[in-house]
Amino acid sequence: MENHQKGNIFSLLPKKLDREAFEPIVAHDHVVIERIVSRGHRSPETGWYDQKSNEWVMVLAGRATIVFENGQEVRLEKGDYVNISARTRHKVTWTDPGVETIWLTVHYG
Amino acid sequence: MENHQKGNIFSLLPKKLDREAFEPIVAHDHVVIERIVSRGHRSPETGWYDQKSNEWVMVLAGRATIVFENGQEVRLEKGDYVNISARTRHKVTWTDPGVETIWLTVHYG
């Protein structure tokens, strides 16, 4: 019978964060749940994230700023979440350089 | 253009918790993201949760115990998560009576 192995979203943080770390937790037909760990990382100066699927994203530790193409800026801290519909252009303009920012994202639809 | 309203998973906890509080955050074709707030609640003595969809569940505050039909007991604290496949019978046998337990669940597939 299936054994249920638990994980912890705050544990086993990557030691090297030269790049943001993307770690899949669940990958299924219509949903991908992922942990992202950032430390001072931000999106490239030019261009936008422009995704085919919807994304629900929550910051569980650290701090980050997301900017949308319409200019709206959303600052996220512990527990803050926002839903980003497919094809809504956005970028991460800031994450706290002094501490790991731990994101949980659910890509769906 | 769409305005992105952020929420916070730890905010606006229900004042009355006579029953567990189930609050949908995202509801889509193949995925439902939900916050559950418990305080000492547990599943009924008899019977099991036996769900058509898969469920990924994380405890963000408080403490809880899930038991599976095979007898496996999984204790969950802050940040702990477990994936429960569809049709895997389980129940919540304990949540901390002294503090709110805040769950994030993603039903999918």
Side-chain angles (χ1 to χ4, degrees), chain B residues 27-78:
Chain B
H28 198 74
D29 294 350
H30 302 286
V31 63
V32 173
I33 304 175
E34 203 170 49
R35 178 174 79 170
I36 304 172
V37 182
S38 318
R39 186 165 178 148
H41 300 88
R42 43 172 297 172
S43 305
E45 285 291 332
T46 57
W48 299 89
Y49 289 128
D50 183 0
Q51 298 168 149
K52 285 183 196 170
S53 58
N54 307 292
E55 180 178 10
W56 182 82
V57 61
M58 176 164 58
V59 164
L60 287 168
R63 293 182 298 159
T65 304
I66 297 178
V67 172
F68 295 91
E69 198 179 20
N70 66 356
Q72 191 195 353
E73 190 174 276
V74 178
R75 294 173 177 274
L76 301 174
E77 296 187 358
K78 179 187 168 188

Side-chain angles (χ1 to χ4, degrees), chain A residues 1-4 6-9 25-26 30-31 56 68 70 72 75 78-81 83 85 104 108, chain B residues 1-4 6-9 25-26 31 56 68 70 72 75 78-81 83 85 104 108:
Chain A
M1 215 166 170
E2 188 182 1
N3 186 54
H4 292 83
K6 70 180 174 185
N8 189 289
I9 200 78
I25 297 172
V26 167
H30 303 286
V31 62
W56 182 82
F68 295 91
N70 66 357
Q72 191 195 353
R75 294 173 177 273
K78 179 188 168 189
D80 287 337
Y81 58 79
N83 193 54
S85 300
L104 179 77
Y108 65 94
Chain B
M1 215 164 172
E2 188 181 1
N3 187 55
H4 293 82
K6 70 179 174 185
N8 189 289
I9 200 77
I25 298 172
V26 167
V31 63
W56 182 82
F68 295 91
N70 66 356
Q72 191 195 353
R75 294 173 177 274
K78 179 187 168 188
D80 286 337
Y81 58 78
N83 193 56
S85 299
L104 178 77
Y108 64 94

Side-chain angles (χ1 to χ4, degrees), chain B residues 85-100:
Chain B
S85 299
R87 294 300 180 202
T88 300
R89 293 182 178 199
H90 62 284
K91 58 174 79 177
V92 176
T93 54
W94 183 80
T95 59
D96 193 327
V99 67
E100 280 85 357

Side-chain angles (χ1 to χ4, degrees), chain A residues 5 10-11 20 24 36-37 62 66 70 74 82 91 100 106:
Chain A
Q5 187 77 31
F10 302 108
S11 295
E20 280 186 310
I36 304 172
V37 183
I66 296 179
N70 66 357
V74 178
V82 66
K91 58 174 76 177
E100 281 85 357
V106 182

